Amino acid sequence: DTAVSQTPKYLVTQMGNDKSIKCEQNLGHDTMYWYKQDSKKFLKIMFSYNNKELIINETVPNRFSPKSPDKAHLNLHINSLELGDSAVYFCASSQLAGVADTQYFGPGTRLTVL
Amino acid sequence: GDSVTQMEGPVTLSEEAFLTINCTYTATGYPSLFWYVQYPGEGLQLLLKATKADDKGSNKGFEATYRKETTSFHLEKGSVQVSDSAVYFCALSDRGYSTLTFGKGTMLLVSP
């Protein structure tokens, strides 16, 4: 059983389209995250949710809208896709939201905007 | 703000060589420190962590010691294997929440 899963694994789309990436964790964790990894492999936090509540929003354009329907799911919807949105997006989860908590990452979704 | 600085890669070693990947950090509070590893085409996995000064994290032959006086968390392994080839990320968590601030990653290539 995959602990943190993401769908789709690959996403190729045109500029201006709207797309969603889904994330699910079966670890019973309270906290979930979205990270963006750029072409140079630099990773940056985008959002964090704790018990379905948004707790971190790191100056991400408002074209990006996370939604957490329940504690096990955190989806990412992106409107009006731009070339610069091309990246690998990782979902992660942790038991709690403390500084020492280990995060468990999904396999990533590679988004390519043409 | 918080930041993590890692040595530039790629680091190229022969099998059984000694590995050091340097990592230093700046943080306003008392961070927890982590090393994550990313194998080709996969997500990140926790390699080891340390949550307070002088703690040593260890796993799979890798070690790192939390040095507050030098704000460092260098990764070491005594004898690398080809299967250790991956990208290694140093990270910290410091803001009351567990969001990670990552270094830029160091690619390790081990040849037989």
Side-chain angles (χ1 to χ4, degrees):
Chain A
D1 266 354
T2 304
V4 182
S5 59
Q6 295 178 229
T7 53
K9 191 169 174 63
Y10 299 97
L11 186 52
V12 181
T13 189
Q14 300 288 331
M15 264 196 319
N17 284 349
D18 303 338
K19 290 293 178 187
S20 291
I21 306 172
K22 295 187 176 183
C23 177
E24 176 181 2
Q25 54 95 2
N26 63 6
L27 298 168
H29 288 169
D30 285 347
T31 309
M32 296 185 73
Y33 314 81
W34 279 110
Y35 288 88
K36 179 180 179 181
Q37 185 176 46
D38 64 22
S39 59
K40 296 183 179 178
K41 292 206 171 289
F42 184 59
L43 275 151
K44 189 168 169 57
I45 182 71
M46 299 175 70
F47 302 103
S48 175
Y49 271 72
N50 180 253
N51 281 320
K52 301 193 301 175
E53 298 293 325
L54 180 67
I55 56 174
I56 296 288
N57 182 344
E58 283 291 311
T59 59
V60 177
N62 57 15
R63 298 183 296 104
F64 290 79
S65 53
K67 283 193 171 47
S68 182
D70 55 58
K71 285 199 311 183
H73 295 85
L74 179 61
N75 303 323
L76 183 65
H77 188 76
I78 315 170
N79 289 327
S80 302
L81 278 154
E82 300 177 357
L83 292 177
D85 298 331
S86 295
V88 181
Y89 293 84
F90 286 100
C91 177
S93 72
S94 62
Q95 179 67 54
L96 299 171
V99 295
D101 287 306
T102 297
Q103 293 184 28
Y104 295 82
F105 284 77
T109 295
R110 182 175 293 277
L111 171 65
T112 303
V113 183
L114 303 175
Chain B
D2 297 344
S3 67
V4 176
T5 302
Q6 286 181 240
M7 60 192 290
E8 294 274 340
V11 173
T12 305
L13 295 173
S14 298
E15 206 164 24
E16 299 184 2
F18 184 86
L19 168 71
T20 301
I21 300 178
N22 290 337
C23 171
T24 58
Y25 68 89
T26 59
T28 52
Y30 299 94
S32 292
L33 301 174
F34 305 81
W35 278 100
Y36 279 83
V37 58
Q38 185 178 26
Y39 297 102
E42 297 184 11
L44 281 77
Q45 304 172 25
L46 177 71
L47 183 58
L48 52 85
K49 71 178 184 183
T51 59
K52 61 183 188 298
D54 300 325
D55 268 1
K56 178 187 281 189
S58 61
N59 185 26
K60 299 181 182 179
F62 291 89
E63 292 183 340
T65 301
Y66 188 141
R67 301 282 187 207
K68 193 167 186 290
E69 64 276 13
T70 54
T71 61
S72 65
F73 193 54
H74 304 321
L75 182 68
E76 295 182 337
K77 187 176 186 184
S79 175
V80 294
Q81 306 300 312
V82 172
S83 57
D84 294 327
S85 297
V87 180
Y88 291 80
F89 292 92
C90 185
L92 68 82
S93 178
D94 179 37
R95 290 185 282 170
Y97 292 113
S98 50
T99 53
L100 293 166
T101 299
F102 284 93
K104 293 188 175 181
T106 302
M107 180 176 286
L108 170 65
L109 300 170
V110 181
S111 56

